[in-house]
Amino acid sequence: NAGVTQTPKFQVLKTGQSMTLQCAQDMNHNSMYWYRQDPGMGLRLIYYSASEGTTDKGEVPNGYNVSRLNKREFSLRLESAAPSQTSVYFCASSFGTGIGTDTQYFGPGTRLTVL
Amino acid sequence: GQQLNQSPQSMFIQEGEDVSMNCTSSSIFNTWLWYKQDPGEGPVLLIALYKAGELTSNGRLTAQFGTTRKDSFLNISASIPSDVGIYFCAGPQRGSTLGRLYFGRGTQLTVWP
């Protein structure tokens, strides 16, 4: 039982390049989330998927797209990377009880640098 | 979005000391969550609080849901080196049924042996 896994762990991109961050969970959770963490800023929600087949914008969605590929996998895509997207990206999942107290489990993060 | 203010931003303490940190919001929360992030890892849930005035412990950690429902406190007793990390408060968006969380900016804790 690996929990939430993310790939890659580290990535360096040049401005304008594209890439996809992968996330998978093996806990049979319904809801999945993408956050970004910047120094001194806490975590900010980019996109989330309440259930398979649905996605919604979070607090900072500009410059990102997501795909809920199936119940296990939720990917985050940067179509044209910008230096402002240099950050640590965390994927999380939760059972999705429909209550705002649902415990979220986080992956280890992807450290992205855009030059 | 809702604003969560954590203080202090950082703490440097000696092993064995007690630690207190708090989180305040600009609006009422129905749930308070405290997470810890170890260096290079994702956050892990420590304590969840669901009722105003609630006091909950998890080992050496104790958290309280403030009676105004706009604040919460986390205390760590007899700190040890493995307490090092960033502590975040978090809460679900008001009226949310989807588990969307807002996070404070974190308290960075350093423990000297």
Side-chain angles (χ1 to χ4, degrees):
Chain A
N1 190 339
V4 180
T5 56
Q6 292 182 236
T7 56
K9 286 193 185 335
F10 301 93
Q11 183 71 51
V12 179
L13 293 177
K14 293 182 181 176
T15 297
Q17 286 185 317
S18 62
M19 79 159 296
T20 300
L21 280 64
Q22 306 286 354
C23 174
Q25 52 89 11
D26 62 3
M27 296 176 282
N28 200 33
H29 284 170
N30 294 306
S31 300
M32 298 185 74
Y33 313 81
W34 276 105
Y35 293 88
R36 62 177 287 173
Q37 183 179 28
D38 301 298
M41 288 295 294
L43 287 92
R44 292 181 293 170
L45 184 65
I46 305 172
Y47 270 93
Y48 66 99
S49 171
S51 61
E52 187 179 355
T54 68
T55 61
D56 283 287
K57 295 178 180 178
E59 205 178 337
V60 289
N62 291 344
Y64 306 96
N65 285 300
V66 290
S67 295
R68 184 73 182 268
L69 304 167
N70 47 56
K71 190 172 185 179
R72 290 186 64 247
E73 299 172 289
F74 189 38
S75 63
L76 179 72
R77 182 158 179 85
L78 286 71
E79 289 292 351
S80 179
S84 61
Q85 294 178 304
T86 294
S87 189
V88 182
Y89 291 85
F90 288 99
C91 177
S93 71
S94 68
F95 189 71
T97 59
I99 302 171
T101 59
D102 200 18
T103 299
Q104 294 185 20
Y105 296 85
F106 286 80
T110 294
R111 283 143 188 83
L112 175 67
T113 301
V114 183
L115 302 174
Chain B
Q2 299 186 20
Q3 298 290 325
L4 292 182
N5 299 306
Q6 267 188 266
S7 65
Q9 283 189 327
S10 60
M11 301 182 75
F12 297 84
I13 63 169
Q14 202 150 23
E15 185 176 357
E17 289 183 6
D18 296 342
V19 172
S20 290
M21 59 189 79
N22 69 80
C23 192
T24 60
S25 76
S26 55
S27 56
I28 288 174
F29 271 55
N30 294 321
T31 301
W32 283 98
L33 307 170
W34 284 93
Y35 281 83
K36 182 195 177 195
Q37 184 179 22
D38 288 328
E41 302 290 331
V44 174
L45 182 65
L46 296 173
I47 293 178
L49 302 160
Y50 301 108
K51 290 193 306 187
E54 180 180 353
L55 189 71
T56 297
S57 293
N58 178 2
R60 293 177 296 105
L61 277 62
T62 302
Q64 183 162 23
F65 193 140
T67 53
T68 66
R69 296 167 66 192
K70 291 186 177 182
D71 55 7
S72 180
F73 308 89
L74 177 69
N75 296 313
I76 305 173
S77 62
S79 58
I80 59 178
S82 62
D83 290 334
V84 165
I86 305 176
Y87 292 79
F88 292 101
C89 62
Q93 183 182 23
R94 187 175 188 176
S96 169
T97 59
L98 296 171
R100 290 180 57 174
L101 296 179
Y102 284 89
F103 282 80
R105 296 189 176 192
T107 294
Q108 172 78 59
L109 178 64
T110 301
V111 180
W112 299 103

